[in-house]
Amino acid sequence: MKQEIQCILKRYPHAGRDKLIPILQDVQEALGFISKESVVQIGEHLHLPASKIFGVATFYNQFRFEPVGRYHIQICRGTACHVKGSAAVLETIKRALKIESGQTTRDGMFSLEEVACLGACGLAPVIAVNGRFHAKITPEDIQGLLNTYRQKGESSDE
Amino acid sequence: MIKIEVNGRIIEGKDGEMLIYALRRAGIHVPTLCHLNDMFPSGACRLCVVEVDGEKNLVPSCSYPVRSGLKIWTHSERAVEARKTIVELLLANHPDDCLYCERNGSCQLQDLAENLHILRRRYIGDRNRFNEDISSPSILRDPEKCILCGKCVRVCEEIQGVSAIDFIGRGSSTTVGTAFNEGLNVSSCVNCGQCINVCPTGALRERNQINDVMAALSNPDKFVVVQHAPSISLTLGEEFGLKPGADVNGIMTAALRQLGFDRVFETSFSADLTIMEEASELVRRIQTNGPLPMFTSCSPGWVKFVEQFYPELLPNLSTCKSPQQMLGAIIKSYFATRENIPPEKIFSVSIMPCTAKKFEAGRQEMERGGIADVDAVLTTRELARVIRMRGLDMHKLKPEHADTPFGERSTAGKLFATSGGVMEAALRTAHFLITGKEMKDLEIKEVRGLDGIKEAHVTIGDLTLNVAVVSGLMNTRTILDEIRSGSRTIHFMEVMTCPGGCINGGGQPLNADIEAIKARMRAVYKIDKTEVIRTSHQNPSIQRIYAEFLGEPLGKKSHELLHTSYQKRTVLV
Ligand code: SF4
Ligand code: SF4
Ligand code: SF4
Ligand code: FES
């Protein structure tokens, strides 16, 4: 992991603060999330304190600070989905998994992300699990869906 | 000076200065929440808005330059209404916990609500819900009470050069927090408490240890001793309405006895002890080639700063424990034996100007055989609280003397209260150790005053020492980088974490302005000027403890009790 980050940083020699966002994007792309280690290394490279980097990174919704779970749930927060009740769906998922957007459940099974639009407005409200779309989802569907995935995840553990 | 019109009256201002300073000099109070004196205005709170002739919008007086011909209304209906709305909006999601809040009675938000006569909740927002950060031994953070004024963030970054905290997230979910929202205890926070001193609300406060102390005081099996740091007698009075710099030493001693402490000692005594050890260490380092420069090690925020940001300079830190820890160690060894009290029966309390002293007392280097040198640390503010809780009237108590043998100090020990004081005290004794004679002029003017970086060249015999005195950790960064690159030669450097030293520590009475800090500093130098014993080595009690117990400075006993070493510390920096 350390080397991957060093590779990324090498692409930004003598960089200043203005390169922070592109570097964070590269790191997220490489690791899937922004790790503590990477923040320390970026900080050394750009001469920025960790708190500042974290502050900037949390300003944008695109960054996550935990590795994604086995099942990565993306929920569309676009207008169409919103009109059709995505807020209630989101609340239900958060409550069921006891996590906030951007977080991963403790067992590493699920992670949750809000995305601006999944580009499938016809299916609203829509969520995607590891890229697979689930259309016209309602709060009532959530528990069943999560159970199915959890079972699948647990059985493939053995 | 130019003239401007304010509320129909002519006042003077300096061309280009921020309006708020001119208003304050003229005695016109415009409220602020985000303003920090002499720092770049952030314009975050907009509470300081005033009406300016010719400007369409209200302007923030903290960031509006004075120019001639200005015509201003500071308390027009529009300005006051705007301020009221701002405060009402701040209150919309505030916990309203005043009755149960550390800052009840000393909260700027509370004052504003009162001054603006806000009597009901006009806006109702979702109440902030965040967990308290209780991870730090020194600082407690309660983000629910945070109004996002940003002062703590700026002080931590710009004054202390630490940047442990910053704004996290955005929009309505913005908070002030650490990297990855970790506890302060694993962050780069050096526990200095300067953020507490600028926080307008109860969002930041010290980790209170009052209950531990009260429990010990009422436990008949405990022998409870207390030491108070050099600055406390000069600041405690402010908590009871006395002028900054008023010395309440004797009254405080009386109060401490009434609270039930079995012995009252002065940390200034062990500051003298520190000087004996530290000056000897300096002389030894000079004679044996280093490592130089030697850094003082009595300010625990600074020590942690070096451990995490400049670990390669750790060998430069003096091995001396701080005066707090030295006295703690002596009490549980020399004193315990002398009085025939088992060390584990002693509960040792110290009154400190400093939140980082709580952290220091808990460091594992600071115990022997599972017995901590110091058991609990109260800040000046906490002591004032205890005194009020016990209903002691500081205006009626009769002054008393501290206990021997650790109640006797030189003025050199007392100088530890202020930036430059350790340097002066150490040089006085180093001069004696090297030449066998006293310095002709004991006062080294170059290292006095409130400048963040002070330098002097001091001649001792045929040596010329370059010395530097730094306070406010941001200031150390410049010097340390120069030392690292070899572009600056210094032999001895005193560092105090807080700007101006302990008199401005993170545990001192709140709302001290620059004038109060100056008054506290003058009080220290007045003591130095008026008393007879002005060097640590002339303190008879110090001479006695070496004769009876310690042997000689840097000797075996000293090594065991009074010295320590530090290691690189990995935190999220
Ligand atoms: S921070 Fe101030 S306004 Fe808030 S609860 Fe405490 S005293 Fe009241
Ligand atoms: S105590 Fe000092 S170092 Fe810690 S957050 Fe506050 S200002 Fe920063
Ligand atoms: S913690 Fe205090 S100083 Fe820091 S932003 Fe909040 S209210 Fe301001
Ligand atoms: S004090 Fe002027 S904007 Fe806050």
Side-chain angles (χ1 to χ4, degrees):
Chain A
M1 204 147 92
K2 182 158 184 164
Q3 270 167 5
E4 264 177 293
I5 296 160
Q6 287 307 329
C7 273
I8 293 170
L9 294 176
K10 276 216 193 79
R11 299 207 292 267
Y12 298 90
H14 316 293
R17 209 177 155 146
D18 54 318
K19 289 287 181 292
L20 177 56
I21 301 289
I23 292 176
L24 286 169
Q25 283 166 333
D26 288 1
V27 170
Q28 171 134 316
E29 178 140 349
L31 310 181
F33 73 112
I34 309 289
S35 67
K36 279 183 199 160
E37 235 186 339
S38 68
V39 166
V40 172
Q41 289 178 56
I42 297 169
E44 278 167 14
H45 190 71
L46 298 181
H47 303 288
L48 283 177
S51 62
K52 190 122 286 165
I53 298 175
F54 186 68
V56 169
T58 51
F59 190 83
Y60 301 93
N61 273 334
Q62 52 175 303
F63 298 113
R64 49 184 305 118
F65 305 94
E66 294 172 33
V68 292
R70 174 172 297 191
Y71 297 108
H72 184 53
I73 305 172
Q74 291 170 298
I75 174 159
C76 182
R77 298 289 282 128
T79 321
C81 288
H82 183 74
V83 171
K84 300 243 168 139
S86 65
V89 177
L90 176 63
E91 269 318 300
T92 316
I93 300 177
K94 282 190 194 168
R95 232 174 300 131
L97 295 178
K98 300 197 180 66
I99 56 173
E100 293 293 318
S101 315
Q103 294 179 338
T104 303
T105 54
R106 218 171 263 189
D107 59 3
M109 193 66 82
F110 294 103
S111 53
L112 178 61
E113 181 188 355
E114 289 176 52
V115 289
C117 184
L118 281 170
C121 305
L123 309 177
V126 61
I127 67 172
V129 181
N130 288 357
R132 195 175 146 218
F133 283 164
H134 295 268
K136 302 206 191 318
I137 210 89
T138 67
E140 292 72 41
D141 299 335
I142 294 300
Q143 201 54 54
L145 196 69
L146 293 176
N147 288 346
T148 315
Y149 276 111
R150 190 179 297 279
Q151 271 159 19
K152 212 155 103 188
E154 275 161 6
S155 61
S156 62
D157 263 350
E158 285 143 22
Chain B
M1 285 287 179
I2 53 175
K3 303 221 181 304
I4 55 175
E5 187 190 315
V6 179
N7 304 335
R9 191 157 71 84
I10 302 296
I11 69 165
E12 289 193 325
K14 296 182 199 139
D15 200 11
E17 77 172 330
M18 294 310 156
L19 183 53
I20 194 152
Y21 297 109
L23 295 177
R24 285 195 178 165
R25 275 199 310 275
I28 302 166
H29 183 73
V30 172
T32 63
L33 278 173
C34 71
H35 176 74
L36 285 164
N37 264 337
D38 299 324
M39 280 170 72
F40 195 79
S42 77
C45 74
R46 302 201 61 87
L47 218 70
C48 64
V49 286
V50 297
E51 206 162 340
V52 176
D53 191 29
E55 297 273 359
K56 198 158 96 278
N57 297 319
L58 296 171
V59 304
S61 56
C62 71
S63 46
Y64 194 84
V66 167
R67 58 185 149 76
S68 78
L70 276 185
K71 209 170 159 189
I72 291 151
W73 295 270
T74 59
H75 287 73
S76 65
E77 198 182 328
R78 189 168 159 223
V80 171
E81 217 28 65
R83 282 181 211 137
K84 197 166 172 182
T85 305
I86 291 168
V87 174
E88 284 174 326
L89 285 169
L90 287 173
L91 293 176
N93 55 5
H94 199 77
D96 280 5
D97 262 354
C98 299
L99 274 177
Y100 313 100
C101 185
E102 181 78 25
R103 291 290 288 271
N104 189 7
S106 62
C107 171
Q108 291 172 25
L109 184 60
Q110 198 185 46
D111 287 352
L112 277 169
E114 209 276 329
N115 291 342
L116 291 164
H117 207 221
I118 294 172
L119 296 176
R120 63 187 179 93
R121 224 179 229 287
R122 201 142 66 95
Y123 304 103
I124 298 182
D126 279 341
R127 185 182 149 177
N128 291 335
R129 294 278 174 200
F130 299 106
N131 291 329
E132 270 185 321
D133 178 0
I134 55 165
S135 67
S136 159
S138 301
I139 315 285
L140 210 130
R141 290 195 323 114
D142 184 356
E144 290 192 358
K145 289 181 181 161
C146 173
I147 55 168
L148 301 174
C149 73
K151 287 203 272 195
C152 55
V153 172
R154 296 171 62 206
V155 162
C156 192
E157 177 176 349
E158 296 169 40
I159 306 285
Q160 297 300 49
V162 172
S163 294
I165 46 179
D166 208 327
F167 287 104
I168 308 297
R170 75 158 157 196
S172 63
S173 65
T174 307
T175 56
V176 167
T178 59
F180 292 90
N181 287 317
E182 294 271 7
L184 266 184
N185 64 331
V186 293
S187 77
S188 56
C189 169
V190 300
N191 306 301
C192 69
Q194 287 298 311
C195 52
I196 298 178
N197 287 12
V198 295
C199 182
T201 71
L204 287 167
R205 49 195 197 264
E206 64 263 80
R207 262 302 277 280
N208 171 324
Q209 282 180 288
I210 292 177
N211 288 347
D212 301 343
V213 173
M214 293 307 225
L217 283 172
S218 55
N219 182 344
D221 291 333
K222 288 283 179 196
F223 190 88
V224 192
V225 299
V226 64
Q227 57 169 308
H228 55 85
S231 63
I232 310 297
S233 77
L234 304 172
T235 60
L236 181 69
E238 289 169 43
E239 287 274 345
F240 299 93
L242 297 177
K243 277 217 208 55
D247 190 356
V248 297
N249 203 39
I251 295 166
M252 173 170 67
T253 304
L256 289 168
R257 288 224 176 86
Q258 296 236 348
L259 290 173
F261 288 103
D262 296 299
R263 291 286 190 285
V264 182
F265 296 136
E266 294 207 20
T267 314
S268 303
F269 163 84
S270 53
D272 279 334
L273 196 55
T274 306
I275 287 302
M276 295 301 287
E277 297 291 326
E278 199 159 355
S280 307
E281 186 185 356
L282 178 66
V283 172
R284 178 182 287 179
R285 285 188 190 226
I286 290 169
Q287 285 164 351
T288 60
N289 279 325
L292 292 171
M294 184 172 92
F295 303 149
T296 59
S297 57
C298 37
S299 186
W302 155 242
V303 170
K304 185 168 185 264
F305 186 85
V306 180
E307 289 176 316
Q308 63 197 25
F309 293 121
Y310 293 88
E312 70 282 9
L313 293 177
L314 280 170
N316 297 67
L317 268 183
S318 159
T319 60
C320 290
K321 288 185 185 174
S322 72
Q324 155 171 286
Q325 297 304 138
M326 282 199 182
L327 191 49
I330 291 286
I331 286 171
K332 291 201 183 174
S333 55
Y334 175 63
F335 175 79
T337 314
R338 224 179 71 149
E339 305 270 319
N340 206 6
I341 308 166
E344 57 276 13
K345 261 195 79 168
I346 298 179
F347 191 86
S348 187
V349 179
S350 59
I351 315 293
M352 290 285 140
C354 177
T355 45
K357 288 282 165 192
K358 292 175 185 269
F359 165 79
E360 181 184 60
R363 291 183 68 119
Q364 67 191 41
E365 296 90 345
M366 302 300 166
E367 57 163 49
R368 284 174 319 117
I371 298 181
D373 291 345
V374 171
D375 295 292
V377 178
L378 302 183
T379 60
T380 316
R381 296 189 292 262
E382 286 173 88
L383 173 61
R385 187 175 289 279
V386 174
I387 290 174
R388 283 192 293 264
M389 279 161 69
R390 283 291 176 91
L392 297 175
D393 186 345
M394 294 291 276
H395 301 274
K396 297 260 163 68
L397 288 171
K398 295 267 165 316
E400 292 177 14
H401 284 291
D403 288 296
T404 49
F406 315 137
E408 281 126 27
R409 55 149 184 82
S410 75
T411 67
K414 195 75 176 173
L415 285 180
F416 272 59
T418 167
S419 162
V422 179
M423 178 60 69
E424 243 180 288
L427 290 175
R428 289 176 187 178
T429 291
H431 187 279
F432 178 76
L433 292 177
I434 293 174
T435 67
K437 291 199 267 298
E438 300 299 339
M439 268 180 151
K440 267 209 206 70
D441 186 359
L442 290 177
E443 292 172 18
I444 305 166
K445 295 274 180 334
E446 296 92 324
V447 301
R448 297 189 172 192
L450 276 170
D451 288 344
I453 301 179
K454 296 171 274 189
E455 281 183 272
H457 308 285
V458 183
T459 312
I460 300 182
D462 28 271
L463 278 174
T464 302
L465 295 184
N466 299 338
V467 302
V469 170
V470 187
S471 68
L473 292 177
M474 187 62 191
N475 290 324
T476 65
R477 287 197 177 264
T478 333
I479 293 197
L480 292 180
D481 292 339
E482 286 172 9
I483 289 171
R484 256 201 318 207
S485 70
S487 65
R488 191 195 271 260
T489 313
I490 293 173
H491 301 101
F492 185 28
M493 177 157 109
E494 175 208 290
V495 179
M496 294 198 189
T497 303
C498 296
C502 308
I503 46 170
N504 188 26
Q508 295 284 29
L510 297 168
N511 300 326
D513 57 9
I514 185 87
E515 292 311 319
I517 308 299
K518 283 184 186 159
R520 293 170 183 177
M521 190 177 264
R522 277 196 303 274
V524 179
Y525 289 123
K526 187 173 153 216
I527 291 172
D528 183 49
K529 204 162 194 78
T530 48
E531 290 182 20
V532 184
I533 300 177
R534 297 179 71 187
T535 63
S536 303
H537 53 274
Q538 286 176 327
N539 178 345
S541 299
I542 288 289
Q543 293 167 349
R544 192 173 339 124
I545 195 173
Y546 277 106
E548 281 179 15
F549 180 64
L550 286 169
E552 52 175 2
L554 306 183
K556 192 169 159 292
K557 268 255 149 54
S558 297
H559 182 76
E560 213 178 283
L561 293 169
L562 309 180
H563 291 259
T564 184
S565 63
Y566 301 102
Q567 271 162 26
K568 181 179 159 101
R569 186 184 285 269
T570 313
V571 296
L572 213 55
V573 292

